[in-house]
């Protein structure tokens, strides 16, 4: 008999460089992060829904042309309010996998 399965896991692509951007509202956890290799790139994540004053950074990743590949062990990085990010570098994108979608 046909059984269907659903998952609360999804991906978000973050490709706006510069100012703080709202990626998602609501409670979720980042479980993996992949970034295109760009010289002197960085991504900062905030637990917030405010792009103007997001508060203290939850995590910061600095990387270069080698790219960024992070698997977050355990339950992942918890965001209670939402995910605001700031991506720096000439161009590129970062893809995160989240649970709690």
């Amino acid at each position: 008999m046909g059984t269907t399965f659903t998952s609360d896991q999804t991906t978000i692509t973050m490709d706006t460089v510069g100012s703080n951007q709202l990626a998602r509202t609501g409670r979720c956890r980042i479980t993996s992060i992949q970034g295109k290799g760009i010289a002197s790139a960085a991504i900062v994540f905030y637990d917030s829904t405010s792009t103007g004053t997001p508060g203290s950074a939850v995590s910061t990743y600095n990387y270069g042309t080698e790219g960024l590949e992070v698997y977050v062990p355990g339950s992942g990085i918890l965001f209670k309010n939402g995910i605001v990010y700031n991506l720096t570098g000439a161009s590129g994108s970062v893809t995160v996998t989240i649970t709690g979608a």
Side-chain angles (χ1 to χ4, degrees), residues 20-96:
N20 296 331
Q21 298 293 315
L22 179 63
R24 183 181 194 286
T25 60
R27 184 181 175 97
C28 63
R29 295 176 184 271
I30 291 179
T31 56
S32 72
I33 307 164
Q34 294 180 327
K36 179 181 176 183
I38 305 164
S40 302
I43 189 160
V44 181
F45 295 104
Y46 302 92
D47 181 3
S48 180
T49 57
S50 171
T51 58
T53 54
S56 299
V58 172
S59 59
T60 302
Y61 296 91
N62 298 303
Y63 59 101
T65 56
E66 74 281 1
L68 176 67
E69 290 189 30
V70 177
Y71 167 74
V72 183
S75 298
I77 304 169
L78 175 63
F79 293 82
K80 293 180 180 178
N81 302 298
I83 301 173
V84 170
Y85 73 94
N86 189 313
L87 177 62
T88 59
S91 64
S93 65
V94 172
T95 301
V96 298

